[in-house]
């Protein structure tokens, strides 16, 4: 038997026949150019690796349909309103994504968000506490509530579904107790919490400056990553690939900046949301902690044998979900300038979970990115605003959102089966 430098195992030719060979797309682009991209794209489609393609296509269809029905849908005001409204749900979806990566669920985030809004209102308005300190207490409260759920799940061994369902009911009652007999505490619309969704950077340089920072930051990150890979002797994206991606990002970033500047300017809420997305994406993809979360989502037993502290990771993930639920609750309180008995109720929980799943995070664990929260919540809020412009009743909104979620879950299930068939899962 002969061997060469690239051989690592003896492969049965019959077993390998028809197998879906995995080729690094960076090598294909370098060697074949556009043809390489098409080859890799076809291979991914055969293997069920759809990525964000379905949700992006869905967003395009939503925009085309609603814009054809009402020219105001893509107006500067409507786009700005969508951007601000989606932040509260999006923040909470970021936390849910961490939990979904473990293959678990958290049903308590709606109630936790309501408690956070109530804590801020009671401390800052009723008791006169400094608003910044009240915000800190509210966020820490969310982290503690999430850690409690994580403790019962990870340490005691109770199912996450049951634990967080109990949390949903308990924290809902706790919120009502905090708000007292009146049930509503109004917030200062000019205060810190009130400004979260009402403040806009009116200077046109702010929106264009953020777009420039995003584009330059992406280019430098991709370029430096390529240099490191080349220095290590592993496949790296060619410069032309990075430039094309940067140009596409620039078109969307500066296009959005232009739209915002046609109305009131760059929304503070969107800036904070983007900062959170960048930070959490870095944690998940560039740190050992993030890799441990993905490992747990793939196989708990394998992770335990690899030396990962399963209990600590699980507790921390549920604490993160509680933290972002609290942050989302502050944005909801800002949106209505109050904390009331309806906070965290209604369809909020379902929208949060739907945003994460529709954006591309798998319900089965091990696959997803925090940027999925942005894509998913854009779909949901765009549908809501588009139907509102047409004067369509809320029940239809629920049915359409439910149908979109069902389609997404079906696609996720089919994708997993296809990947297993192709030997990639």
């Amino acid at each position: 038997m002969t061997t060469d430098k690239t051989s690592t195992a003896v492969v049965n030719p019959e077993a390998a026949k028809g197998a879906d060979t995995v080729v690094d797309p960076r090598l294909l682009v370098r060697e074949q150019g556009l043809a390489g991209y098409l080859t890799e794209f076809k291979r991914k489609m055969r293997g069920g690796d759809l990525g964000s393609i379905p949700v992006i296509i869905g967003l395009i269809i939503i925009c085309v349909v609603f814009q054809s029905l009402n020219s105001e849908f893509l107006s500067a005001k409507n786009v700005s309103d969508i951007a601000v409204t989606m932040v509260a749900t999006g923040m909470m979806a970021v936390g849910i994504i961490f939990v979904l990566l473990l293959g678990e669920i958290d049903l308590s985030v709606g109630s936790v968000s309501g408690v956070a809004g109530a804590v801020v209102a009671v401390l800052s308005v009723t008791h006169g506490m400094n608003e910044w300190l009240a915000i800190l207490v509210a966020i820490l409260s969310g982290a503690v509530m999430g850690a409690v759920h994580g403790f019962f799940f990870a340490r005691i061994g109770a199912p996450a579904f049951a634990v967080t369902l109990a949390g949903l009911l308990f924290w809902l009652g706790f919120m009502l107790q905090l708000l007292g007999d009146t049930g509503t505490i109004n917030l200062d619309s000019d205060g810190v919490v009130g400004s979260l969704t009402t403040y806009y950077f009116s200077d046109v340089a702010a929106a264009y400056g953020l777009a420039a920072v995003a584009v330059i930051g992406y280019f430098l990150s991709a370029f430096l990553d390529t240099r490191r890979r080349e220095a290590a002797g592993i496949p790296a994206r060619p410069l032309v690939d990075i430039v094309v991606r940067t140009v596409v990002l620039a078109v969307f970033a500066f296009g959005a900046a232009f739209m915002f500047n046609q109305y009131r300017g760059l929304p503070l809420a969107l800036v904070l949301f983007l900062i959170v997305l960048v930070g959490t994406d870095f944690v998940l993809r560039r740190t050992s902690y993030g890799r441990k979360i993905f490992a747990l989502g793939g196989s708990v037993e394998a992770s335990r044998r690899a030396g990962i502290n399963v209990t600590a990771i699980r507790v921390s993930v549920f604490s993160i979900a509680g933290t972002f639920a609290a942050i989302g609750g502050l944005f909801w309180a800002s949106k209505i300038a109050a904390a009331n008995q309806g906070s965290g109720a209604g369809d909020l929980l379902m929208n949060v979970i739907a945003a994460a799943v529709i954006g591309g995070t798998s319900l089965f664990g091990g696959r997803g990115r925090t940027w999925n929260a942005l894509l998913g919540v854009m779909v949901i809020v765009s549908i809501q605003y588009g139907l509102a412009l047409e004067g369509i009743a809320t029940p239809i909104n629920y049915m359409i959102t439910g149908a979109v979620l069902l389609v997404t879950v079906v696609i996720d299930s089919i994708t997993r089966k296809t990947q297993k068939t192709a030997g990639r899962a």
Side-chain angles (χ1 to χ4, degrees):
M1 180 181 66
T2 59
T3 60
D4 57 38
K5 294 182 181 180
T6 61
S7 298
T8 57
V10 177
V11 180
N12 186 334
E14 292 299 322
K17 186 177 180 180
D20 188 12
T21 305
V22 178
V23 181
D24 194 304
R26 287 162 292 214
L27 291 178
L28 285 175
V29 172
R30 175 176 292 177
E31 297 173 1
Q32 304 176 17
L34 180 59
Y37 260 130
L38 294 176
T39 300
E40 176 63 9
F41 177 77
K42 292 177 182 178
R43 185 194 65 78
K44 285 185 174 182
M45 294 301 101
R46 290 195 303 270
D49 188 3
L50 301 179
S52 299
I53 294 176
V55 68
I56 292 175
I57 294 175
L59 273 172
I60 294 174
I61 293 174
I62 289 170
C63 291
V64 170
V65 170
F66 284 122
Q67 180 65 16
S68 64
L69 294 174
N70 193 317
S71 60
E72 290 298 311
F73 181 74
L74 291 180
S75 66
K77 180 182 183 305
N78 201 54
V79 169
S80 183
D81 289 344
I82 289 175
V84 173
T85 301
M86 71 181 188
V87 172
T89 303
M91 286 287 192
M92 298 170 67
V94 169
I96 280 290
I97 286 173
F98 276 79
V99 177
L100 290 178
L101 288 174
L102 295 182
E104 301 297 338
I105 194 66
D106 187 344
L107 302 177
S108 68
V109 291
S111 296
V112 171
S113 71
V115 170
V119 167
V120 165
V122 170
L123 292 181
S124 63
V125 177
T126 305
H127 297 290
M129 179 183 286
N130 177 273
E131 194 171 5
W132 282 106
L133 182 58
I135 291 173
L136 178 60
V137 172
I139 294 175
L140 290 177
S141 297
V144 171
M145 287 184 276
V148 170
H149 301 151
F151 171 81
F152 282 102
F153 164 61
R155 178 66 68 178
I156 306 302
F161 179 90
V163 170
T164 56
L165 179 59
L168 181 155
L169 297 172
F170 182 87
W171 300 122
L172 176 60
F174 184 63
M175 178 193 71
L176 297 177
Q177 185 68 28
L178 284 177
L179 292 175
D181 296 333
T182 61
T184 300
I185 300 177
N186 294 322
L187 297 171
D188 181 7
S189 59
D190 295 324
V192 179
V193 174
S195 298
L196 289 175
T197 56
T198 60
Y199 185 82
Y200 294 77
F201 298 96
S202 57
D203 192 332
V204 296
Y208 290 126
L210 179 62
V213 169
V215 172
I216 295 173
Y218 172 80
F219 176 81
L220 291 177
S221 175
F223 179 75
L224 293 177
D225 182 63
T226 294
R227 294 291 297 272
R228 286 193 296 267
R229 286 177 170 274
E230 289 176 344
I234 57 180
R237 296 191 183 280
L239 182 60
V240 64
D241 178 28
I242 298 175
V243 171
V244 170
R245 291 168 178 263
T246 304
V247 170
V248 172
L249 174 62
V251 170
F252 283 100
F254 282 97
F258 174 79
M259 293 294 288
F260 291 138
N261 283 333
Q262 300 307 301
Y263 182 51
R264 298 176 62 184
L266 178 65
L268 171 64
L270 181 61
V271 174
L272 297 176
F273 187 33
L274 292 176
I275 291 174
V276 165
L277 290 175
V278 172
T280 51
D281 183 68
F282 177 84
V283 169
L284 283 178
R285 297 198 306 120
R286 302 289 185 177
T287 67
S288 61
Y289 175 74
R291 289 190 288 271
K292 291 175 182 177
I293 293 176
F294 281 105
L296 275 177
S299 173
V300 175
E301 186 56 34
S303 300
R304 183 178 288 110
R305 293 183 179 183
I308 296 176
N309 189 331
V310 174
T311 299
I313 296 296
R314 283 174 162 175
V315 172
S316 66
V317 164
F318 275 88
S319 182
I320 289 172
T323 300
F324 282 106
I327 294 173
L330 297 181
F331 278 90
W332 275 119
S334 173
K335 188 68 177 175
I336 63 176
N340 59 34
Q341 294 178 342
S343 299
D347 61 346
L348 177 59
L349 171 62
M350 293 300 101
N351 282 341
V352 170
I353 297 175
V357 177
I358 290 173
T361 303
S362 175
L363 281 170
F364 302 98
R367 190 179 78 245
R369 295 180 60 179
T370 51
W371 286 100
N372 296 149
L374 174 62
L375 293 174
V377 77
M378 283 176 65
V379 169
I380 292 175
V381 178
S382 295
I383 291 174
Q384 292 173 345
Y385 270 73
L387 295 177
L389 286 175
E390 294 303 304
I392 298 176
T394 300
I396 303 299
N397 185 1
Y398 288 160
M399 288 189 286
I400 292 178
T401 303
V404 172
L405 176 58
L406 177 60
V407 170
T408 304
V409 173
V410 169
I411 291 175
D412 186 27
S413 300
I414 294 175
T415 295
R416 285 177 58 84
K417 291 180 180 179
T418 304
Q419 289 177 337
K420 287 181 179 179
T421 302
R424 301 185 60 208

